[in-house]
Amino acid sequence: MIRNIVFDMGNVLIHWYPDIFVERLELPEEDQQQLKQEVYGREEWTLLDQGMIESEEAIAAMCRRLPERLHGVARELTLNWWKPAPIPVVGMAELIRELKGMQYGIYLLSNAGADNDRYFGLIPGSECFDGKIISALWKLLKPQREIYEVLFREYGLKPEECFFIDDLPANIQGARDAGMDGAVFGGDVAHLRRQLRDAGIPVNC
């Protein structure tokens, strides 16, 4: 029996769109493309999620590849990409609150930087979470088996009693390899509700 629902964050709870983060700055197209590549498209962003590099070190590496006029922008896009607020996936907060009302445990398992606490509370439905595992704090990344095992160990969960929702098939496969079933989320909350019902979780459809 499923007792706990585990959510990814990017493109599940909130939209992760580097294009939007950069376009907000209203810079010339050439500068936008360069920033997207050098801030979000290089290894520093993955290393931040893995907790293998500090923000200032990542920013310094980005700035070495960027013209000086874009250094301040690169810093802002690294530290404050989520401002003025994360963009929620429509319908997900209502689903989370419904699940919480049915006494399911609600957990987060996300590849994300160590600064997650700065913005997580701004995400609708975040008040329902019973715990979260952030990759940078454990120096692990999905779909490494160890990060799923951290979730189970830290919160005393049984893998077979958990259901994982993530936007990447590789991460769902990693969950299954660790004993936890799940579903790939493609952006359609109505479809996700049907997937949950198929798994024996009686949400409204």
Side-chain angles (χ1 to χ4, degrees):
M1 178 182 294
I2 302 299
R3 301 181 186 277
N4 307 289
I5 313 299
V6 184
F7 291 85
D8 178 32
M9 183 172 61
N11 291 330
V12 174
L13 303 184
I14 60 174
H15 291 289
W16 171 256
Y17 289 151
D19 285 5
I20 292 177
F21 309 151
V22 174
E23 287 167 5
R24 285 171 176 164
L25 304 173
E26 299 183 349
L27 294 169
E29 179 65 22
E30 182 180 349
D31 287 351
Q32 290 186 32
Q33 294 301 321
Q34 193 171 11
L35 285 163
K36 280 188 286 188
Q37 173 63 27
E38 301 303 340
V39 174
Y40 301 119
R42 300 278 191 154
E43 67 173 352
E44 288 86 20
W45 203 262
T46 300
L47 291 172
L48 284 169
D49 281 355
Q50 197 175 7
M52 301 303 290
I53 191 172
E54 297 293 332
S55 295
E56 291 302 322
E57 186 179 353
I59 293 166
M62 296 168 190
C63 288
R64 285 194 290 270
R65 301 189 296 264
L66 289 165
E68 187 173 354
R69 70 178 186 280
L70 297 179
H71 288 186
V73 179
R75 170 178 290 275
E76 188 69 13
L77 288 171
T78 302
L79 299 178
N80 297 312
W81 59 268
W82 50 271
K83 290 186 175 181
I87 304 169
V89 172
V90 174
M92 193 60 79
E94 291 79 6
L95 173 60
I96 291 168
R97 289 165 181 155
E98 182 180 335
L99 289 163
K100 187 67 173 178
M102 292 190 290
Q103 306 303 310
Y104 284 93
I106 307 293
Y107 296 90
L108 182 78
L109 177 59
S110 179
N111 286 352
D115 62 347
N116 176 264
D117 282 343
R118 295 180 62 213
Y119 57 84
F120 187 72
L122 301 175
I123 300 173
S126 61
E127 74 280 0
C128 296
F129 281 72
D130 297 294
K132 56 181 182 171
I133 298 297
I134 300 299
S135 59
L137 303 180
W138 294 92
K139 294 183 169 51
L140 295 167
L141 287 174
K142 293 176 296 181
Q144 290 176 269
R145 185 185 182 97
E146 291 84 355
I147 195 167
Y148 303 98
E149 292 174 344
V150 166
L151 170 72
F152 306 143
R153 183 179 69 247
E154 288 298 304
Y155 295 107
L157 307 179
K158 297 179 180 179
E160 66 274 14
E161 294 181 350
C162 298
F163 191 90
F164 185 42
I165 300 162
D166 194 289
D167 64 311
L168 297 179
N171 293 341
I172 294 299
Q173 186 58 54
R176 288 175 175 149
D177 290 344
M180 170 171 60
D181 199 6
V184 178
F185 178 65
D188 184 341
V189 175
H191 179 62
L192 174 61
R193 284 177 173 273
R194 293 192 293 272
Q195 291 175 296
L196 289 169
R197 285 190 71 89
D198 288 345
I201 301 160
V203 294
N204 294 319
C205 286

